[in-house]
Amino acid sequence: TTVLSLALSADVTVMNRIDADRSKLAHGLHDGLLQTLTAAALQLRVCSKNCQGDTRHELNSIQQLLAAEQKRIRVFVNGWDRKNGSKDFVLASACKVVLTALGAYWHCETPLRVVPVDARVSSAIAENLSLILAEAIANAVKHGGATRVLIDLERTTDALAISLSDNGCGIHGPAGAYTDEALIAQHAGPRFLCDRVRRLGGSLVLSTSLAGVRLQIRLPA
């Protein structure tokens, strides 16, 4: 009984510390980053009023991206993900919102296919998926010069299979397929993406050639 009480007390202490750290980070984001994003959005609004045509359209697009990022940060600051951790999201509609914003920012086509069409995922999976898509598409455009990234998602009873195929020039190095373990060992490929997938208990395979890159990611769900 004494051992159990000590274990429970330690768990409570750890949770309290996590809550305190989260609260400190949330306040820092609110008072710092969110305020900066708000100021930047206001400056862009002023600038767009003095512009016409394509320039005004580009500035408005950047404003929309800033607004989306502000919303995402506010979700974190308010602890929304913890309060709604069990809430399910319709996979197709959740991804379309993210991909529309990413496509506009990177000037890249992002067609999406979801199987089954009414597949649902938890809020935690939806949040991590949005970050995976953001990094993968950014890498495809910045490093491979891609103008199109095809996204295929398949939800099974115990996993989410994610496939991203771009029309870029591939990554530097020999053509072939590489696991996340091989990429990390060789200090090659999308290191942060590999780390995120591994932290989630998933796996990643990257196939590269002159025709582009294909990422195959599997996450437990």
Side-chain angles (χ1 to χ4, degrees):
T1 304
T2 302
V3 173
L4 179 59
S5 297
L6 289 173
L8 290 173
S9 177
D11 286 343
V12 171
T13 300
V14 170
M15 290 304 299
N16 287 339
R17 186 178 302 164
I18 291 173
D19 284 341
D21 289 343
R22 183 185 177 91
S23 178
K24 183 178 179 180
L25 176 59
H27 281 90
L29 288 172
H30 181 271
D31 297 337
L33 184 56
L34 274 176
Q35 299 299 332
T36 301
L37 289 175
T38 300
L42 290 173
Q43 289 294 327
L44 285 170
R45 185 179 302 172
V46 172
C47 291
S48 66
K49 289 180 179 179
N50 299 321
C51 299
Q52 300 294 330
D54 290 343
T55 301
R56 185 169 188 171
H57 176 73
E58 291 291 337
L59 290 174
N60 288 336
S61 296
I62 296 173
Q63 281 183 265
Q64 293 173 7
L65 289 169
L66 288 177
E69 188 64 14
Q70 285 176 290
K71 182 178 180 180
R72 189 180 69 81
I73 294 172
R74 285 196 177 95
V75 162
F76 175 83
V77 168
N78 294 329
W80 179 92
D81 55 325
R82 288 174 61 186
K83 295 175 183 177
N84 298 276
S86 61
K87 181 179 178 180
D88 284 347
F89 280 79
V90 176
L91 191 56
S93 58
C95 287
K96 283 178 181 177
V97 173
V98 174
L99 292 174
T100 297
L102 290 171
Y105 183 80
W106 292 109
H107 302 287
C108 177
E109 295 179 18
T110 55
L112 171 68
R113 184 178 72 93
V114 179
V115 177
V117 293
D118 59 348
R120 305 179 75 91
V121 293
S122 68
S123 61
I125 291 294
E127 174 68 13
N128 280 291
L129 178 57
S130 69
L131 295 172
I132 288 171
L133 293 176
E135 184 171 352
I137 291 171
N139 287 339
V141 176
K142 288 192 298 182
H143 304 302
T147 58
R148 188 174 189 269
V149 180
L150 174 64
I151 299 97
D152 277 297
L153 306 175
E154 183 175 357
R155 179 74 159 89
T156 63
T157 55
D158 61 350
L160 176 63
I162 308 162
S163 175
L164 300 102
S165 304
D166 69 54
N167 65 347
C169 61
I171 63 172
H172 179 71
Y178 303 86
T179 64
D180 50 297
E181 290 183 354
L183 291 170
I184 291 173
Q186 297 175 28
H187 302 285
R191 178 58 187 270
F192 291 113
L193 190 55
C194 288
D195 288 343
R196 180 180 299 280
V197 170
R198 287 165 69 88
R199 284 199 305 272
L200 295 170
S203 61
L204 179 150
V205 175
L206 182 150
S207 303
T208 180
S209 70
L210 294 178
V213 169
R214 184 184 184 195
L215 285 171
Q216 293 171 281
I217 299 169
R218 187 175 179 85
L219 299 178

